[in-house]
Amino acid sequence: MSGREEQRYITSESSIEVKINQDYAEFYSDLANKTPDFTLPTSDFKEIAKAWKRYLSEG
C-alpha cells in the first residue's frame, strides 16, 4: 500500500453532486467550485440513506 487513502466517488444526474469517502460526504451544487456547499460525516450520511430507503420501501 502506498499510504494513500482509497476514495470512491458517486455522481448523480441531479442538481447536487456528492463525493463520498470513508470519513465524510461532500455536497456540491457545482463541481467546478473546489469548495463543497456542505460536508457531512459519512456515518451520518449512511443513516440518512438507510432511513430514506426504509421510507421508500414502505411507500
Side-chain angles (χ1 to χ4, degrees), residues 53-59:
K53 183 178 177 181
R54 279 192 307 272
Y55 170 79
L56 293 176
S57 67
E58 294 170 0

Side-chain angles (χ1 to χ4, degrees), residues 9-28:
Y9 297 100
I10 299 171
T11 303
S12 71
E13 295 295 325
S14 68
S15 60
I16 296 175
E17 306 271 349
V18 181
K19 288 185 177 181
I20 303 171
N21 70 27
Q22 184 175 347
D23 298 319
Y24 54 87
E26 297 176 323
F27 297 81
Y28 298 82

Side-chain angles (χ1 to χ4, degrees), residues 10 18 20 25 27 40-57:
I10 299 171
V18 181
I20 303 171
F27 297 81
L40 186 67
T42 299
S43 58
D44 292 351
F45 180 71
K46 231 173 128 176
E47 291 303 314
I48 292 167
K50 285 180 189 177
W52 182 247
K53 183 178 177 181
R54 279 192 307 272
Y55 170 79
L56 293 176
S57 67

